Amino acid sequence: MTRNEKIALGCGVAALVGLFVLGAVCAVAVFYWRQQQRHFVYTSNNNSNYNSNSNNNRNLNSRPTNSDSAGVSDDEKHRLFQAAGATKDNELINRVLRKFGFVKSDGSVSAEYQKFLSEHISWGMKNLSFVTSVNTPEKARAYVEAHLND
């Protein structure tokens, strides 16, 4: 075997070992990610750089959606969810999610929660005045404590 063949063989083996290590790292990352998804409740990314006038008018025409939330309107769910997220207090966030039935007894999240999250984005865009009115943890906590009634 010539020197060049030995070098080529060594490079091939190194590439194969590298691919194996990369595959193992990816497998571990996917496993870890799936474990985190099972325990995922809520992560908030707050950006308070909005130009808007604060308006706290409540939408009295919203209708209750289900019996789990005991007559809480969709609008009020979004308001409480937004305010709880702005507090960055995981215990308070979990209280709100449990009140709405979004967290199951085993700690996993319901399918309704995923639907609610997708609706929350558009709700937030339409209700920037409310979002900016609870843009500090203190204001948000005061709103949640005044409206949670659990």
Side-chain angles (χ1 to χ4, degrees), residues 52-107:
S52 172
N53 290 328
S54 180
N55 180 357
N56 290 328
N57 291 338
R58 297 187 68 189
N59 182 356
L60 299 177
N61 294 325
S62 296
R63 67 186 192 321
T65 56
N66 63 32
S67 59
D68 290 341
S69 56
V72 177
S73 69
D74 287 339
D75 186 60
E76 186 61 20
K77 282 183 184 180
H78 286 288
R79 287 172 180 266
L80 281 167
F81 181 76
Q82 180 67 37
T87 66
K88 298 179 180 146
D89 179 347
N90 287 334
E91 185 177 319
L92 187 59
I93 294 166
N94 287 329
R95 273 181 49 204
V96 169
L97 294 176
R98 281 192 304 271
K99 176 180 175 78
F100 300 150
F102 292 150
V103 177
K104 299 177 186 175
S105 59
D106 65 359

Short mmCIF file of all heavy atoms in Angstrom, two decimals, residues 52-107:
data_model
loop_
_atom_site.label_atom_id
_atom_site.label_comp_id
_atom_site.label_asym_id
_atom_site.label_seq_id
_atom_site.Cartn_x
_atom_site.Cartn_y
_atom_site.Cartn_z
N SER A 52 -47.51 52.84 20.91
CA SER A 52 -48.94 52.67 21.02
C SER A 52 -49.46 53.45 22.21
O SER A 52 -48.75 53.66 23.18
CB SER A 52 -49.26 51.18 21.18
OG SER A 52 -50.61 50.99 21.47
N ASN A 53 -50.72 53.85 22.14
CA ASN A 53 -51.36 54.47 23.29
C ASN A 53 -51.98 53.38 24.13
O ASN A 53 -52.56 52.44 23.62
CB ASN A 53 -52.45 55.44 22.84
CG ASN A 53 -51.86 56.66 22.19
OD1 ASN A 53 -50.78 57.08 22.56
ND2 ASN A 53 -52.57 57.22 21.24
N SER A 54 -51.87 53.50 25.43
CA SER A 54 -52.43 52.50 26.32
C SER A 54 -53.94 52.67 26.41
O SER A 54 -54.44 53.76 26.64
CB SER A 54 -51.80 52.62 27.70
OG SER A 54 -52.34 51.65 28.54
N ASN A 55 -54.66 51.57 26.21
CA ASN A 55 -56.11 51.59 26.27
C ASN A 55 -56.54 50.29 26.93
O ASN A 55 -56.37 49.23 26.38
CB ASN A 55 -56.70 51.71 24.87
CG ASN A 55 -58.20 51.74 24.87
OD1 ASN A 55 -58.82 51.62 25.93
ND2 ASN A 55 -58.79 51.90 23.71
N ASN A 56 -57.10 50.38 28.11
CA ASN A 56 -57.47 49.19 28.86
C ASN A 56 -58.94 48.84 28.74
O ASN A 56 -59.50 48.21 29.62
CB ASN A 56 -57.11 49.36 30.34
CG ASN A 56 -55.62 49.34 30.55
OD1 ASN A 56 -54.92 48.65 29.82
ND2 ASN A 56 -55.13 50.09 31.50
N ASN A 57 -59.60 49.24 27.67
CA ASN A 57 -61.00 48.88 27.51
C ASN A 57 -61.13 47.39 27.34
O ASN A 57 -60.40 46.79 26.57
CB ASN A 57 -61.60 49.58 26.28
CG ASN A 57 -61.72 51.06 26.48
OD1 ASN A 57 -61.76 51.51 27.62
ND2 ASN A 57 -61.75 51.81 25.41
N ARG A 58 -62.06 46.78 28.03
CA ARG A 58 -62.26 45.35 27.94
C ARG A 58 -63.30 45.05 26.89
O ARG A 58 -64.24 45.79 26.69
CB ARG A 58 -62.73 44.81 29.29
CG ARG A 58 -61.66 45.03 30.35
CD ARG A 58 -62.02 44.38 31.60
NE ARG A 58 -61.96 42.95 31.36
CZ ARG A 58 -62.39 42.06 32.23
NH1 ARG A 58 -62.87 42.43 33.37
NH2 ARG A 58 -62.32 40.79 31.97
N ASN A 59 -63.14 43.96 26.20
CA ASN A 59 -64.08 43.53 25.18
C ASN A 59 -65.20 42.76 25.88
O ASN A 59 -65.03 41.62 26.26
CB ASN A 59 -63.37 42.66 24.14
CG ASN A 59 -64.30 42.23 23.04
OD1 ASN A 59 -65.50 42.52 23.07
ND2 ASN A 59 -63.74 41.55 22.06
N LEU A 60 -66.34 43.40 26.03
CA LEU A 60 -67.44 42.76 26.76
C LEU A 60 -68.26 41.84 25.87
O LEU A 60 -69.17 41.17 26.34
CB LEU A 60 -68.34 43.84 27.37
CG LEU A 60 -67.62 44.75 28.37
CD1 LEU A 60 -68.57 45.83 28.85
CD2 LEU A 60 -67.10 43.95 29.53
N ASN A 61 -67.94 41.79 24.58
CA ASN A 61 -68.69 40.94 23.67
C ASN A 61 -68.06 39.57 23.50
O ASN A 61 -68.56 38.75 22.75
CB ASN A 61 -68.81 41.61 22.29
CG ASN A 61 -69.63 42.86 22.37
OD1 ASN A 61 -70.59 42.91 23.14
ND2 ASN A 61 -69.26 43.87 21.60
N SER A 62 -66.94 39.30 24.16
CA SER A 62 -66.32 37.99 24.04
C SER A 62 -67.18 36.96 24.74
O SER A 62 -67.79 37.23 25.76
CB SER A 62 -64.93 38.02 24.67
OG SER A 62 -64.10 38.89 23.96
N ARG A 63 -67.14 35.76 24.22
CA ARG A 63 -67.98 34.72 24.78
C ARG A 63 -67.13 33.68 25.50
O ARG A 63 -65.99 33.45 25.13
CB ARG A 63 -68.80 34.04 23.69
CG ARG A 63 -67.92 33.25 22.73
CD ARG A 63 -68.70 32.71 21.57
NE ARG A 63 -68.06 31.73 20.76
CZ ARG A 63 -66.81 31.67 20.38
NH1 ARG A 63 -65.96 32.53 20.77
NH2 ARG A 63 -66.36 30.72 19.59
N PRO A 64 -67.67 33.04 26.52
CA PRO A 64 -66.95 31.96 27.17
C PRO A 64 -66.77 30.80 26.20
O PRO A 64 -67.63 30.56 25.35
CB PRO A 64 -67.85 31.56 28.34
CG PRO A 64 -68.80 32.70 28.52
CD PRO A 64 -68.91 33.37 27.19
N THR A 65 -65.66 30.07 26.35
CA THR A 65 -65.38 29.01 25.39
C THR A 65 -65.64 27.62 25.93
O THR A 65 -66.09 26.76 25.19
CB THR A 65 -63.93 29.08 24.92
OG1 THR A 65 -63.09 29.03 26.07
CG2 THR A 65 -63.68 30.37 24.16
N ASN A 66 -65.31 27.35 27.18
CA ASN A 66 -65.53 25.99 27.67
C ASN A 66 -65.73 26.01 29.18
O ASN A 66 -65.49 26.98 29.85
CB ASN A 66 -64.37 25.06 27.28
CG ASN A 66 -63.06 25.48 27.89
OD1 ASN A 66 -63.03 26.03 28.98
ND2 ASN A 66 -61.98 25.23 27.19
N SER A 67 -66.15 24.88 29.69
CA SER A 67 -66.46 24.81 31.12
C SER A 67 -65.20 24.73 31.97
O SER A 67 -65.25 25.03 33.15
CB SER A 67 -67.34 23.59 31.38
OG SER A 67 -66.66 22.42 30.97
N ASP A 68 -64.04 24.33 31.38
CA ASP A 68 -62.81 24.25 32.15
C ASP A 68 -62.40 25.61 32.68
O ASP A 68 -61.80 25.72 33.73
CB ASP A 68 -61.66 23.69 31.30
CG ASP A 68 -61.86 22.23 30.97
OD1 ASP A 68 -62.65 21.58 31.67
OD2 ASP A 68 -61.22 21.75 30.02
N SER A 69 -62.69 26.65 31.95
CA SER A 69 -62.24 27.98 32.36
C SER A 69 -63.34 28.75 33.06
O SER A 69 -63.22 29.94 33.30
CB SER A 69 -61.73 28.74 31.14
OG SER A 69 -62.74 28.80 30.16
N ALA A 70 -64.43 28.11 33.41
CA ALA A 70 -65.51 28.67 34.25
C ALA A 70 -65.98 30.03 33.76
O ALA A 70 -66.02 30.98 34.51
CB ALA A 70 -65.06 28.71 35.69
N GLY A 71 -66.34 30.12 32.50
CA GLY A 71 -66.94 31.34 31.99
C GLY A 71 -65.96 32.44 31.64
O GLY A 71 -66.36 33.57 31.49
N VAL A 72 -64.68 32.15 31.52
CA VAL A 72 -63.70 33.16 31.15
C VAL A 72 -63.71 33.30 29.63
O VAL A 72 -63.63 32.32 28.90
CB VAL A 72 -62.28 32.77 31.65
CG1 VAL A 72 -61.25 33.77 31.20
CG2 VAL A 72 -62.28 32.62 33.15
N SER A 73 -63.84 34.54 29.15
CA SER A 73 -63.90 34.78 27.71
C SER A 73 -62.54 34.53 27.06
O SER A 73 -61.50 34.51 27.73
CB SER A 73 -64.34 36.21 27.43
OG SER A 73 -63.33 37.10 27.83
N ASP A 74 -62.54 34.35 25.74
CA ASP A 74 -61.28 34.18 25.01
C ASP A 74 -60.38 35.39 25.24
O ASP A 74 -59.18 35.25 25.45
CB ASP A 74 -61.54 34.03 23.51
CG ASP A 74 -62.11 32.68 23.14
OD1 ASP A 74 -61.95 31.73 23.94
OD2 ASP A 74 -62.71 32.57 22.06
N ASP A 75 -60.98 36.58 25.18
CA ASP A 75 -60.20 37.80 25.37
C ASP A 75 -59.54 37.82 26.75
O ASP A 75 -58.36 38.14 26.88
CB ASP A 75 -61.10 39.02 25.19
CG ASP A 75 -60.32 40.31 25.23
OD1 ASP A 75 -59.43 40.48 24.37
OD2 ASP A 75 -60.60 41.14 26.11
N GLU A 76 -60.28 37.44 27.78
CA GLU A 76 -59.73 37.45 29.13
C GLU A 76 -58.64 36.37 29.28
O GLU A 76 -57.65 36.58 29.98
CB GLU A 76 -60.82 37.25 30.18
CG GLU A 76 -60.34 37.39 31.61
CD GLU A 76 -59.77 38.76 31.94
OE1 GLU A 76 -60.05 39.75 31.22
OE2 GLU A 76 -59.01 38.86 32.92
N LYS A 77 -58.81 35.23 28.61
CA LYS A 77 -57.76 34.21 28.64
C LYS A 77 -56.47 34.77 28.07
O LYS A 77 -55.39 34.61 28.64
CB LYS A 77 -58.17 32.99 27.81
CG LYS A 77 -59.12 32.07 28.48
CD LYS A 77 -59.37 30.88 27.58
CE LYS A 77 -60.40 29.95 28.15
NZ LYS A 77 -60.63 28.79 27.27
N HIS A 78 -56.58 35.44 26.92
CA HIS A 78 -55.39 36.00 26.29
C HIS A 78 -54.77 37.09 27.17
O HIS A 78 -53.54 37.18 27.28
CB HIS A 78 -55.73 36.56 24.91
CG HIS A 78 -55.95 35.49 23.88
ND1 HIS A 78 -54.92 34.73 23.36
CD2 HIS A 78 -57.08 35.06 23.28
CE1 HIS A 78 -55.41 33.88 22.48
NE2 HIS A 78 -56.72 34.05 22.42
N ARG A 79 -55.61 37.89 27.80
CA ARG A 79 -55.10 38.95 28.67
C ARG A 79 -54.34 38.36 29.86
O ARG A 79 -53.23 38.78 30.20
CB ARG A 79 -56.24 39.84 29.17
CG ARG A 79 -56.78 40.76 28.11
CD ARG A 79 -58.04 41.48 28.61
NE ARG A 79 -58.57 42.35 27.61
CZ ARG A 79 -58.29 43.65 27.51
NH1 ARG A 79 -57.48 44.22 28.37
NH2 ARG A 79 -58.81 44.38 26.54
N LEU A 80 -54.95 37.36 30.51
CA LEU A 80 -54.29 36.74 31.66
C LEU A 80 -53.01 36.02 31.24
O LEU A 80 -51.99 36.08 31.93
CB LEU A 80 -55.24 35.76 32.35
CG LEU A 80 -56.27 36.40 33.26
CD1 LEU A 80 -57.36 35.41 33.65
CD2 LEU A 80 -55.60 36.95 34.51
N PHE A 81 -53.06 35.34 30.10
CA PHE A 81 -51.90 34.62 29.59
C PHE A 81 -50.76 35.60 29.30
O PHE A 81 -49.61 35.37 29.67
CB PHE A 81 -52.30 33.85 28.33
CG PHE A 81 -51.21 33.05 27.71
CD1 PHE A 81 -50.81 31.86 28.27
CD2 PHE A 81 -50.59 33.48 26.55
CE1 PHE A 81 -49.80 31.10 27.69
CE2 PHE A 81 -49.59 32.74 25.96
CZ PHE A 81 -49.20 31.55 26.53
N GLN A 82 -51.09 36.70 28.64
CA GLN A 82 -50.08 37.71 28.31
C GLN A 82 -49.49 38.31 29.58
O GLN A 82 -48.28 38.44 29.71
CB GLN A 82 -50.69 38.81 27.44
CG GLN A 82 -49.71 39.89 27.04
CD GLN A 82 -48.62 39.38 26.12
OE1 GLN A 82 -48.89 38.55 25.26
NE2 GLN A 82 -47.41 39.86 26.30
N ALA A 83 -50.34 38.68 30.50
CA ALA A 83 -49.87 39.30 31.74
C ALA A 83 -49.03 38.32 32.56
O ALA A 83 -47.98 38.68 33.09
CB ALA A 83 -51.05 39.81 32.56
N ALA A 84 -49.48 37.07 32.65
CA ALA A 84 -48.72 36.07 33.40
C ALA A 84 -47.34 35.87 32.78
O ALA A 84 -46.34 35.78 33.48
CB ALA A 84 -49.48 34.75 33.45
N GLY A 85 -47.29 35.83 31.46
CA GLY A 85 -46.00 35.68 30.78
C GLY A 85 -45.09 36.86 31.03
O GLY A 85 -43.87 36.71 31.18
N ALA A 86 -45.66 38.05 31.11
CA ALA A 86 -44.86 39.26 31.33
C ALA A 86 -44.27 39.29 32.74
O ALA A 86 -43.28 39.98 32.97
CB ALA A 86 -45.70 40.50 31.08
N THR A 87 -44.86 38.54 33.69
CA THR A 87 -44.30 38.51 35.04
C THR A 87 -43.01 37.71 35.09
O THR A 87 -42.21 37.88 36.00
CB THR A 87 -45.28 37.88 36.05
OG1 THR A 87 -45.46 36.50 35.75
CG2 THR A 87 -46.59 38.63 36.10
N LYS A 88 -42.84 36.78 34.15
CA LYS A 88 -41.69 35.87 34.11
C LYS A 88 -41.63 34.99 35.35
O LYS A 88 -40.58 34.51 35.73
CB LYS A 88 -40.40 36.63 33.89
CG LYS A 88 -40.38 37.38 32.59
CD LYS A 88 -39.11 38.14 32.40
CE LYS A 88 -39.20 38.86 31.06
NZ LYS A 88 -38.54 40.12 31.04
N ASP A 89 -42.79 34.77 35.98
CA ASP A 89 -42.91 33.94 37.17
C ASP A 89 -43.53 32.61 36.75
O ASP A 89 -44.73 32.55 36.48
CB ASP A 89 -43.79 34.66 38.20
CG ASP A 89 -44.00 33.86 39.48
OD1 ASP A 89 -43.67 32.65 39.50
OD2 ASP A 89 -44.51 34.43 40.44
N ASN A 90 -42.72 31.56 36.68
CA ASN A 90 -43.20 30.27 36.19
C ASN A 90 -44.35 29.71 37.01
O ASN A 90 -45.26 29.10 36.47
CB ASN A 90 -42.06 29.25 36.13
CG ASN A 90 -41.12 29.53 34.99
OD1 ASN A 90 -41.50 30.13 34.00
ND2 ASN A 90 -39.87 29.12 35.13
N GLU A 91 -44.32 29.92 38.32
CA GLU A 91 -45.41 29.42 39.16
C GLU A 91 -46.74 30.11 38.81
O GLU A 91 -47.78 29.46 38.69
CB GLU A 91 -45.08 29.64 40.64
CG GLU A 91 -46.09 29.04 41.57
CD GLU A 91 -45.69 29.23 43.02
OE1 GLU A 91 -44.49 29.06 43.33
OE2 GLU A 91 -46.57 29.52 43.83
N LEU A 92 -46.70 31.40 38.60
CA LEU A 92 -47.90 32.15 38.23
C LEU A 92 -48.38 31.76 36.83
O LEU A 92 -49.58 31.58 36.60
CB LEU A 92 -47.64 33.65 38.31
CG LEU A 92 -48.84 34.56 38.12
CD1 LEU A 92 -49.91 34.27 39.17
CD2 LEU A 92 -48.40 36.02 38.20
N ILE A 93 -47.45 31.59 35.92
CA ILE A 93 -47.80 31.16 34.56
C ILE A 93 -48.50 29.81 34.60
O ILE A 93 -49.53 29.60 33.97
CB ILE A 93 -46.54 31.11 33.67
CG1 ILE A 93 -45.97 32.52 33.46
CG2 ILE A 93 -46.84 30.45 32.33
CD1 ILE A 93 -44.58 32.55 32.88
N ASN A 94 -47.95 28.90 35.38
CA ASN A 94 -48.55 27.56 35.49
C ASN A 94 -49.93 27.61 36.13
O ASN A 94 -50.81 26.85 35.76
CB ASN A 94 -47.63 26.62 36.26
CG ASN A 94 -46.43 26.22 35.43
OD1 ASN A 94 -46.50 26.14 34.22
ND2 ASN A 94 -45.32 25.99 36.09
N ARG A 95 -50.14 28.51 37.10
CA ARG A 95 -51.48 28.67 37.70
C ARG A 95 -52.49 29.08 36.63
O ARG A 95 -53.61 28.55 36.58
CB ARG A 95 -51.45 29.73 38.80
CG ARG A 95 -51.08 29.22 40.14
CD ARG A 95 -51.08 30.28 41.22
NE ARG A 95 -52.29 31.10 41.26
CZ ARG A 95 -52.32 32.32 41.78
NH1 ARG A 95 -51.22 32.86 42.30
NH2 ARG A 95 -53.44 33.01 41.79
N VAL A 96 -52.11 30.02 35.79
CA VAL A 96 -53.00 30.48 34.73
C VAL A 96 -53.28 29.34 33.75
O VAL A 96 -54.43 29.10 33.37
CB VAL A 96 -52.40 31.71 33.99
CG1 VAL A 96 -53.16 32.03 32.72
CG2 VAL A 96 -52.37 32.91 34.93
N LEU A 97 -52.24 28.61 33.35
CA LEU A 97 -52.43 27.51 32.40
C LEU A 97 -53.29 26.39 32.99
O LEU A 97 -54.11 25.81 32.28
CB LEU A 97 -51.07 26.97 31.95
CG LEU A 97 -50.22 27.94 31.14
CD1 LEU A 97 -48.87 27.34 30.82
CD2 LEU A 97 -50.94 28.36 29.87
N ARG A 98 -53.12 26.10 34.27
CA ARG A 98 -53.97 25.09 34.91
C ARG A 98 -55.41 25.56 34.99
O ARG A 98 -56.33 24.77 34.80
CB ARG A 98 -53.43 24.76 36.30
CG ARG A 98 -52.25 23.81 36.30
CD ARG A 98 -51.94 23.29 37.70
NE ARG A 98 -51.71 24.35 38.67
CZ ARG A 98 -50.53 24.91 38.92
NH1 ARG A 98 -49.48 24.51 38.27
NH2 ARG A 98 -50.43 25.87 39.82
N LYS A 99 -55.62 26.83 35.26
CA LYS A 99 -56.98 27.37 35.35
C LYS A 99 -57.73 27.16 34.04
O LYS A 99 -58.92 26.85 34.02
CB LYS A 99 -56.97 28.85 35.71
CG LYS A 99 -58.36 29.47 35.71
CD LYS A 99 -58.33 30.93 36.07
CE LYS A 99 -59.68 31.56 35.96
NZ LYS A 99 -60.56 31.29 37.05
N PHE A 100 -57.04 27.32 32.93
CA PHE A 100 -57.66 27.19 31.61
C PHE A 100 -57.69 25.74 31.11
O PHE A 100 -58.21 25.46 30.05
CB PHE A 100 -56.94 28.05 30.58
CG PHE A 100 -56.95 29.51 30.91
CD1 PHE A 100 -55.92 30.32 30.53
CD2 PHE A 100 -58.00 30.08 31.62
CE1 PHE A 100 -55.92 31.68 30.82
CE2 PHE A 100 -58.01 31.43 31.92
CZ PHE A 100 -56.96 32.22 31.52
N GLY A 101 -57.11 24.82 31.88
CA GLY A 101 -57.10 23.41 31.48
C GLY A 101 -56.07 23.10 30.41
O GLY A 101 -56.18 22.08 29.73
N PHE A 102 -55.05 23.93 30.28
CA PHE A 102 -54.03 23.71 29.26
C PHE A 102 -52.96 22.74 29.72
O PHE A 102 -52.21 22.22 28.91
CB PHE A 102 -53.37 25.03 28.86
CG PHE A 102 -54.28 25.96 28.11
CD1 PHE A 102 -54.12 27.32 28.21
CD2 PHE A 102 -55.30 25.49 27.29
CE1 PHE A 102 -54.94 28.19 27.51
CE2 PHE A 102 -56.12 26.35 26.60
CZ PHE A 102 -55.94 27.70 26.71
N VAL A 103 -52.85 22.50 31.02
CA VAL A 103 -51.86 21.58 31.56
C VAL A 103 -52.60 20.38 32.11
O VAL A 103 -53.49 20.51 32.94
CB VAL A 103 -51.01 22.25 32.66
CG1 VAL A 103 -50.02 21.26 33.26
CG2 VAL A 103 -50.29 23.46 32.11
N LYS A 104 -52.21 19.19 31.65
CA LYS A 104 -52.83 17.95 32.12
C LYS A 104 -52.25 17.56 33.48
O LYS A 104 -51.24 18.09 33.92
CB LYS A 104 -52.58 16.83 31.10
CG LYS A 104 -53.18 17.11 29.74
CD LYS A 104 -52.84 16.00 28.77
CE LYS A 104 -53.31 16.33 27.37
NZ LYS A 104 -52.87 15.34 26.41
N SER A 105 -52.89 16.59 34.12
CA SER A 105 -52.45 16.17 35.45
C SER A 105 -51.04 15.59 35.44
O SER A 105 -50.34 15.65 36.44
CB SER A 105 -53.43 15.15 36.03
OG SER A 105 -53.51 14.03 35.18
N ASP A 106 -50.61 15.03 34.29
CA ASP A 106 -49.26 14.47 34.21
C ASP A 106 -48.21 15.53 33.88
O ASP A 106 -47.04 15.22 33.71
CB ASP A 106 -49.20 13.33 33.20
CG ASP A 106 -49.48 13.78 31.77
OD1 ASP A 106 -49.74 14.98 31.55
OD2 ASP A 106 -49.43 12.92 30.87
N GLY A 107 -48.61 16.78 33.75
CA GLY A 107 -47.68 17.87 33.47
C GLY A 107 -47.53 18.20 32.01
O GLY A 107 -46.88 19.18 31.66
#
